[in-house]
Amino acid sequence: MLAQLSDPHIRLDDDAPTEALRRAVAALEALDPTPDAVLVSGDLADSGDPREYAIAREILRELPMPVHVLPGNHDDVAALEAVFGPVEYEVDAGPLRLVSVDTTIPGRDDGRIPVERLAARLTGEKPTILAMHHAPLVTGVKPMDDLGVPGEDRRALAELLAGRPHVKRIVTGHLHRTMVGAVGGVPVFVCPGTHLQLALELTATAELPSNDDPPGYALHLLRDGEVTSHLVLL
């Protein structure tokens, strides 16, 4: 079982994101059975300050299982890797294989999927979860889609996945809402944030406000050769 947290946005001038991450970690510690691993799918820090990563690391080290992280558009990749290690990896999480890819573009909030680099890493036959920060979906909400990935990347990813049936799920963060979709026949799960969520305004043309939706995390389970994703509200 793989647990997923996303978008803590740790800040030096606000204790609320830190306390929210502490509550999420405590919830994972209380799970029975214990997850095989935990993924934090980006935006660990709000500004990329090394001190923000130190706070995140201090909280996440309470977890007894391996913790794997991804960079988000708010992260500084070098500062993140200095604390947590490489952000692209292929690791086992119990019966699942977890493959990560960095979709960030330095200095920008939208992303790109390095499909050619990814192609060589999606090998083998073990049931696999592909993790990235930016969701390869069209959400129908313009401000969200402006912060997504271009259509050519989504199409290239779909072509890549069509020949790799062992990839069972794509998991992402970034959008601060729970969403589901698919690309290349592979389900996509967007995890909510551990702190603030974004309002769903389908007619929005400018920046979306946060709202009072509860934070949450996800659990991804392999059963009978397929992955089921559960949303757990905090």
Side-chain angles (χ1 to χ4, degrees):
M1 178 169 64
L2 175 69
Q4 182 185 1
L5 306 175
S6 201
D7 296 271
H9 285 269
I10 297 298
R11 297 169 57 101
L12 298 177
D13 60 353
D14 185 355
D15 291 336
T18 298
E19 293 308 310
L21 182 58
R22 291 189 192 280
R23 288 192 293 271
V25 165
L28 296 187
E29 288 183 291
L31 287 174
D32 184 15
T34 302
D36 296 295
V38 174
L39 168 71
V40 187
S41 49
D43 283 352
L44 280 79
D46 193 63
S47 71
D49 189 300
R51 293 171 293 177
E52 295 170 337
Y53 296 117
I55 294 170
R57 180 60 180 161
E58 181 268 327
I59 298 169
L60 292 168
R61 66 161 42 111
E62 296 296 320
L63 292 167
M65 69 288 291
V67 176
H68 309 290
V69 305
L70 282 173
N73 52 295
H74 282 257
D75 288 311
D76 180 288
V77 175
L80 180 63
E81 289 190 321
V83 175
F84 290 95
V87 296
E88 289 198 341
Y89 42 80
E90 305 91 37
V91 295
D92 288 332
L96 288 164
R97 189 75 168 158
L98 175 63
V99 176
S100 73
V101 63
D102 179 6
T103 57
T104 62
I105 305 172
R108 291 174 54 169
D109 289 328
D110 59 336
R112 295 298 304 263
I113 303 173
V115 176
E116 291 186 3
R117 188 167 80 236
L118 180 60
R121 302 173 55 226
L122 290 177
T123 58
E125 298 181 356
K126 188 168 185 175
T128 295
I129 288 181
L130 173 58
M132 60 185 71
H133 182 66
H134 294 82
L137 299 175
V138 178
T139 69
V141 180
K142 186 180 185 303
M144 289 183 177
D145 291 335
D146 288 344
L147 301 180
V149 297
E152 58 264 31
D153 286 15
R154 296 194 304 272
R155 291 186 288 271
L157 181 61
E159 292 178 5
L160 173 65
L161 296 176
R164 289 168 171 79
H166 63 289
V167 180
K168 302 297 184 182
R169 183 77 81 253
I170 300 168
V171 300
T172 82
H174 187 47
L175 298 179
H176 290 256
R177 289 196 63 83
T178 306
M179 298 184 195
V180 295
V183 59
V186 178
V188 178
F189 178 92
V190 184
C191 190
T194 58
H195 183 218
L196 295 177
Q197 314 309 311
L198 290 180
L200 179 60
E201 296 183 3
L202 295 174
T203 59
T205 58
E207 184 176 349
L208 290 166
S210 59
N211 65 8
D212 294 328
D213 286 353
Y217 65 90
L219 296 174
H220 308 288
L221 291 76
L222 182 70
R223 296 291 186 272
D224 294 331
E226 298 297 335
V227 171
T228 298
S229 297
H230 295 271
L231 168 66
V232 184
L233 299 178
L234 290 165

